[in-house]
């Protein structure tokens, strides 16, 4: 049977003859080490820790010569065999492999015949299909049978012991399963409480208006978007943080690498090198709120302040001609009178400064820096709104040049606002001085002082439409040129002066408008005059007030006639020889002077004068002096 089966299989066998691959001996490979151990010790079962210790002690004592180690360590390089010998050796290896293959096929064929002959008693048709022809000729189908042997019967005591053991194992397994279920239930209850707490905090954040979304790289985690969609790309991408769960179920805000660089904006006022006040006072109060929303709010404020400082620094580099200095530790803005305003970024822990001299929450500098910091944040928000409006419009045609990001207007409007406020303060001081001087001369002049910048901005809510937010109107008004006015009611007739102060980034303009009836001697004056200097405007107003006094004297006293209106002179005849008495009126910011001198053939002779100024002991009123001067020596 073996010969027939082998010949049948060999007739259908096709073998691919090729050279046997060259074996690369590697003394450090795992297969080589395993073969070496098997060659030395026989099997891994014979290798124990005690046997290895005995071998080591024997080698150290010199009793046993480790011939295998010497064989591998002192092995000399092999001599290369000729090509003919390698070919013959390869042929022998191929024939050897062919013989092994034939033996394996013969063994598998005999096993198949045995199983097929065994099954032929029960399913003869299917089994005959797999029986070899040689076996069919020599053995009939169904000659093999299988029979199940019954195991010997167990005794009653053995059966009882087996049942007890089985019951014990069942009880032990049930007890272990119950304990496992109870532990799992307790763990599941704790996990449910932690999950409920986590999701409740996440939902509370969402109810308060924060945007919750999935993380792009962690789809199984949620994150909160606290940044601003219209901010610059480097700050917009940082405005997203993951909401992760602690072991106790509470939720914390995972800021990643941003947590170590969180800083806040600080505004400091320094005068003569000393810090007078700082907006960072009280900034650490935010750390008292340890809730999840508090952490989100602090992260939002920090990234907003960082973007604001970055945009202010970009803008300040183009404003060095206005005296602004950009250094590594902040932005310095001069305010005049050896006073400067410094903007920088500090960590919240360093917000409380200890070198503040006379810092008071009610001081002017404190209100200044708080208003300055708030206005900067408002203007950055306005810039974000402009970016949104630009993004939602119809896009411009595509060009090869990539549009650059514009520089936001944050410092420019504030510098113009400070300049406007300074001009308004100086003008108010000027009007107060002139009004006080005229009051000393018993001349009541109605003065409507200019409205301050904050007052002008505060009136915007009356002009704001219902469709436009007040903050947008306020920011737009801050970016546009600011204008205030003052009104002076003249003493003569129903005339008045209107003084408009208009400040833009290039400078301050002053417009003086006079409203005079046509019958007044001042009707020939230009109705509107513009100035770029406060000194020129003040001199022009004093000149107009002087002309008004001259006109008043000429209208109320028939004795005095206007001699030279623009020079402030009035005259009257005192004799038949044509001699004149000339009245000269001069008005300054803190001084009103009336002089009278006579003119004749012998020249001018001073007769009397009167002066109203701070510290002067003047008891008579201006009208009384004008009425009596020249007629007799008053002083």
């Amino acid at each position: 049977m073996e010969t027939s089966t082998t010949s049948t299989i060999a007739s259908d066998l096709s073998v691919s003859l090729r050279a046997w691959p060259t074996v690369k001996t590697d003394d450090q490979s795992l297969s080589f080490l395993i073969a070496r151990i098997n060659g030395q010790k026989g099997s891994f079962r014979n290798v124990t820790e005690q046997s290895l210790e005995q071998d080591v002690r024997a080698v150290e004592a010199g009793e046993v010569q480790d011939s295998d180690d010497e064989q591998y360590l002192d092995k000399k390089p092999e001599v290369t065999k000729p090509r003919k010998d390698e070919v013959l050796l390869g042929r022998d290896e191929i024939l050897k492999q062919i013989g092994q293959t034939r033996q394996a096929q013969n063994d598998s064929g005999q096993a198949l015949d045995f199983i097929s002959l065994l099954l032929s008693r029960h399913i003869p048709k299917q089994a005959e299909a797999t029986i070899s022809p040689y076996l069919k000729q020599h053995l009939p189908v169904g000659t093999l049978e299988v029979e199940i042997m019954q195991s010997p019967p167990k005794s009653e005591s053995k059966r009882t012991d087996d049942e007890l053991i089985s019951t014990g194992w069942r009880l032990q397994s049930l007890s272990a399963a119950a304990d496992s279920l109870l532990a799992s239930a307790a763990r599941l209850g704790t996990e449910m409480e932690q999950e409920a707490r986590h999701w409740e905090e996440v939902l509370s954040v969402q109810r308060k208006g924060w945007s919750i979304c999935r993380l792009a790289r962690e789809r199984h985690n949620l994150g909160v978007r606290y940044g601003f969609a219209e901010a610059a790309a480097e700050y917009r991408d940082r405005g997203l943080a993951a909401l992760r769960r602690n072991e106790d179920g509470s939720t914390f805000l995972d800021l990643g690498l941003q947590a170590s660089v969180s800083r806040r904006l600080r505004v400091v006022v320094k005068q003569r090198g000393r810090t007078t006040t700082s907006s960072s006072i009280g900034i650490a109060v935010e750390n008292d709120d340890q809730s999840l929303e508090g952490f989100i709010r602090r992260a939002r404020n920090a990234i907003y302040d960082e973007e604001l400082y970055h945009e202010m620094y970009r803008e300040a580099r183009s404003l060095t001609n206005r005296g602004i200095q950009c250094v590594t530790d902040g932005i310095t803005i001069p305010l005049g009178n050896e006073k400067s305003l410094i903007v920088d970024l500090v960590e919240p822990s360093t917000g409380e400064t200890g070198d503040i001299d006379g810092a008071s929450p009610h001081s002017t500098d404190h209100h200044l820096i708080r208003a300055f910091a708030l206005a900067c944040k408002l203007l950055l928000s306005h810039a974000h709104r402009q970016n949104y409006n630009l993004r939602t419009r119809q896009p411009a045609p595509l060009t090869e040049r990539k549009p650059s990001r514009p520089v936001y207007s944050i410092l420019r409007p504030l510098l113009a606002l400070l300049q406007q406020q300074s001009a308004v303060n100086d003008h108010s001081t000027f009007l107060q001085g002139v009004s006080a001087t005229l009051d000393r001369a018993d001349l009541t002049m109605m003065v409507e002082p200019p409205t301050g910048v904050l007052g002008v901005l505060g009136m915007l809510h009356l002009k704001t439409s219902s469709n436009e937010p007040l903050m947008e109107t306020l920011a737009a008004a801050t970016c546009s040129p600011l204008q205030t006015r003052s009104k002076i009611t003249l003493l003569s007739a129903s005339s008045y002066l209107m003084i408009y102060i208009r400040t833009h980034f290039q400078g301050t303009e002053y417009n003086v408008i006079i409203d005079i009836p046509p019958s007044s001697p001042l009707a020939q004056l230009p109705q509107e005059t513009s100035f770029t200097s406060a000194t020129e405007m003040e001199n022009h107003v004093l000149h107009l007030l002087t002309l008004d006094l001259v006109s008043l004297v000429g209208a109320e006293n028939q004795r005095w006639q206007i001699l030279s209106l623009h020079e402030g002179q009035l005259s009257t005849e005192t004799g038949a020889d044509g001699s004149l008495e000339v009245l000269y009126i001069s008005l300054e910011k803190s001084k009103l002077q009336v002089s009278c001198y006579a003119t004749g053939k012998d020249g001018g002779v001073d007769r009397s004068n009167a002066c109203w100024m701070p510290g002067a002991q003047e008891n008579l009123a201006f009208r009384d002096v004008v009425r009596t001067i020249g007629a007799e020596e008053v002083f």
Side-chain angles (χ1 to χ4, degrees):
M1 185 179 83
E2 178 180 356
T3 305
S4 175
T5 305
T6 304
S7 60
T8 303
I9 297 175
S11 61
D12 299 334
L13 180 63
S14 61
V15 181
S16 177
L17 301 179
R18 58 180 177 178
W20 189 259
T22 304
V23 179
K24 296 182 179 180
T25 57
D26 188 358
D27 294 351
Q28 301 299 325
S29 62
L30 181 61
S31 60
F32 178 80
L33 295 177
I34 293 175
R36 182 178 176 183
I37 293 174
N38 290 331
Q40 292 178 355
K41 301 297 181 178
S43 175
F44 278 97
R45 295 181 179 180
N46 301 327
V47 180
T48 61
E49 185 177 356
Q50 293 78 8
S51 64
L52 292 176
E53 289 180 354
Q54 293 177 0
D55 293 344
V56 170
R57 288 194 296 269
V59 171
E60 291 178 352
E63 298 176 358
V64 178
Q65 184 67 26
D66 193 353
S67 59
D68 294 334
D69 291 343
E70 290 181 358
Q71 176 183 358
Y72 287 101
L73 293 176
D74 300 337
K75 183 174 59 176
K76 297 181 180 180
E78 298 181 356
V79 180
T80 305
K81 297 181 180 180
R83 180 63 178 173
K84 182 179 179 180
D85 296 341
E86 292 183 358
V87 171
L88 295 176
L89 181 60
R91 186 193 63 179
D92 297 340
E93 291 292 336
I94 292 173
L95 295 177
K96 182 178 179 181
Q97 292 295 329
I98 292 175
Q100 294 177 355
T101 303
R102 291 177 177 177
Q103 181 65 30
Q105 290 180 350
N106 185 35
D107 293 342
S108 62
Q110 291 180 2
L112 179 61
D113 288 342
F114 176 78
I115 299 298
S116 300
L117 185 61
L118 182 62
L119 295 177
S120 64
R121 185 173 182 82
H122 303 281
I123 47 176
K125 293 184 179 181
Q126 290 85 344
E128 288 181 0
T130 56
I131 297 177
S132 62
Y134 181 83
L135 187 61
K136 289 181 181 179
Q137 296 176 1
H138 293 79
L139 288 177
V141 177
T143 56
L144 285 181
E145 178 62 288
V146 61
E147 183 179 349
I148 300 176
M149 304 280 302
Q150 292 291 338
S151 58
K154 294 183 180 180
S155 62
E156 188 66 22
S157 60
K158 181 64 175 177
R159 188 180 299 107
T160 304
D161 293 341
D162 290 344
E163 291 179 356
L164 291 176
I165 293 173
S166 176
T167 304
W169 276 109
R170 287 197 207 97
L171 292 176
Q172 186 177 358
S173 300
L174 290 175
S175 177
D179 295 340
S180 178
L181 289 175
L182 292 176
S184 300
R187 185 173 65 255
L188 182 59
T190 304
E191 186 70 19
M192 290 176 59
E193 294 177 357
Q194 295 175 357
E195 281 291 327
R197 179 181 178 184
H198 169 68
W199 288 108
E200 180 62 29
E201 293 184 0
V202 173
L203 289 176
S204 66
V205 169
Q206 187 181 22
R207 293 191 195 103
K208 294 178 180 178
W210 298 98
S211 177
I212 305 297
C213 61
R214 289 182 181 272
L215 298 179
R217 298 183 179 179
E218 302 178 22
R219 303 297 296 176
H220 58 283
N221 285 337
L222 293 179
V224 57
R225 187 173 296 280
Y226 57 86
F228 301 87
E230 305 304 329
E234 57 269 24
Y235 297 99
R236 181 185 64 246
D237 298 339
R238 289 172 50 192
L240 179 65
L243 295 175
R244 304 192 187 277
R245 199 190 76 176
N246 287 318
E247 295 182 356
D248 59 349
S250 61
T251 307
F252 70 97
L253 189 67
D254 186 6
L255 296 176
L257 299 178
Q258 304 178 34
S260 60
V261 294
S262 177
R263 295 182 295 176
R264 299 296 304 276
L265 188 73
R266 180 180 66 174
V267 183
V268 179
V269 174
K270 286 189 176 182
Q271 188 171 16
R272 298 183 182 91
R274 295 186 305 172
T275 301
T276 60
T277 186
S278 170
S279 67
S280 63
I281 298 178
I283 196 173
V285 177
E286 295 182 356
N287 295 330
D288 296 339
D289 188 2
Q290 299 298 324
S291 63
L292 178 60
E293 187 186 7
F295 284 105
I296 297 174
R297 190 181 299 109
R298 283 196 293 273
R300 179 201 61 185
N301 296 340
I303 195 173
Y304 191 81
D305 286 354
E306 290 181 15
E307 182 189 6
L308 175 60
Y309 180 77
H310 174 72
E311 297 297 338
M312 292 175 65
Y313 201 92
R314 288 183 62 204
E315 185 182 10
R317 287 184 296 181
S318 62
L319 300 177
T320 54
N321 58 341
R322 300 295 299 272
I324 297 180
Q325 299 179 2
C326 299
V327 293
T328 56
D329 56 349
I331 304 171
T332 303
I333 303 173
L335 299 178
N337 298 327
E338 299 182 1
K339 184 183 294 186
S340 60
L341 187 144
I342 300 175
V343 183
D344 57 358
L345 279 177
V346 297
E347 296 182 2
S349 58
T350 60
E352 300 288 345
T353 55
D355 57 344
I356 299 178
D357 301 331
S360 173
H362 305 290
S363 63
T364 305
D365 291 342
H366 186 76
H367 292 304
L368 171 64
I369 60 176
R370 288 179 63 88
F372 184 87
L374 182 60
C376 289
K377 296 179 180 180
L378 177 62
L379 290 175
L380 180 59
S381 178
H382 179 65
H384 287 172
R385 174 66 64 176
Q386 289 180 333
N387 291 342
Y388 172 77
N389 295 335
L390 183 62
R391 183 169 57 86
T392 54
R393 293 176 186 171
Q394 184 177 0
L398 296 178
T399 58
E400 295 182 356
R401 168 181 281 181
K402 183 179 180 181
S404 60
R405 188 164 63 92
V407 178
Y408 296 156
S409 294
I410 299 176
L411 291 178
R412 288 181 176 86
L414 296 181
L415 291 177
L417 189 145
L418 293 175
Q419 187 176 356
Q420 172 77 0
Q421 185 64 36
S422 177
V424 169
N425 294 338
D426 294 342
H427 185 61
S428 299
T429 304
F430 166 73
L431 294 181
Q432 291 174 3
V434 174
S435 180
T437 301
L438 295 177
D439 288 341
R440 295 188 191 97
D442 199 14
L443 295 173
T444 303
M445 182 180 65
M446 299 299 296
V447 178
E448 182 181 337
T451 306
V453 174
L454 298 181
V456 173
L457 298 177
M459 295 295 292
L460 291 175
H461 70 280
L462 301 177
K463 305 178 181 179
T464 304
S465 62
S466 58
N467 297 330
E468 187 175 4
L470 177 60
M471 290 294 101
E472 291 300 320
T473 305
L474 184 62
T478 305
C479 295
S480 60
L482 298 176
Q483 178 174 289
T484 58
R485 71 173 181 87
S486 62
K487 182 178 180 181
I488 303 175
T489 303
L490 299 180
L491 300 173
S492 63
S494 57
S495 307
Y496 58 88
L497 295 177
M498 300 291 293
I499 304 173
Y500 292 91
I501 304 175
R502 187 171 184 269
T503 302
H504 46 79
F505 181 68
Q506 286 75 17
T508 304
E509 295 180 356
Y510 302 89
N511 292 332
V512 180
I513 300 176
I514 183 171
D515 186 4
I516 300 176
S519 59
S520 174
L522 305 180
Q524 302 299 325
L525 297 176
Q527 293 186 353
E528 182 177 357
T529 310
S530 299
F531 303 93
T532 58
S533 171
T535 303
E536 295 177 357
M537 181 271 298
E538 293 175 358
N539 293 335
H540 181 68
V541 172
L542 291 174
H543 180 65
L544 293 178
L545 294 178
T546 302
L547 300 183
D548 182 57
L549 291 176
V550 172
S551 177
L552 177 66
V553 172
E556 293 182 353
N557 295 273
Q558 300 297 328
R559 188 168 65 91
W560 295 104
Q561 303 295 325
I562 298 176
L563 176 63
S564 177
L565 180 63
H566 290 281
E567 294 181 2
Q569 295 180 357
L570 297 97
S571 65
T572 183
E573 294 185 2
T574 58
D577 57 351
S579 60
L580 299 175
E581 286 188 356
V582 179
L583 184 67
Y584 178 75
I585 301 176
S586 175
L587 175 63
E588 298 177 4
K589 178 180 178 180
S590 57
K591 178 181 178 182
L592 174 60
Q593 183 175 357
V594 178
S595 302
C596 181
Y597 61 93
T599 62
K601 296 180 180 180
D602 298 335
V605 179
D606 292 337
R607 297 189 57 184
S608 60
N609 63 76
C611 181
W612 292 270
M613 59 184 300
Q617 300 296 326
E618 190 62 58
N619 299 323
L620 297 178
F622 175 80
R623 288 182 172 85
D624 297 338
V625 171
V626 171
R627 186 174 58 254
T628 58
I629 196 170
E632 57 181 352
E633 187 173 345
V634 182
F635 303 98

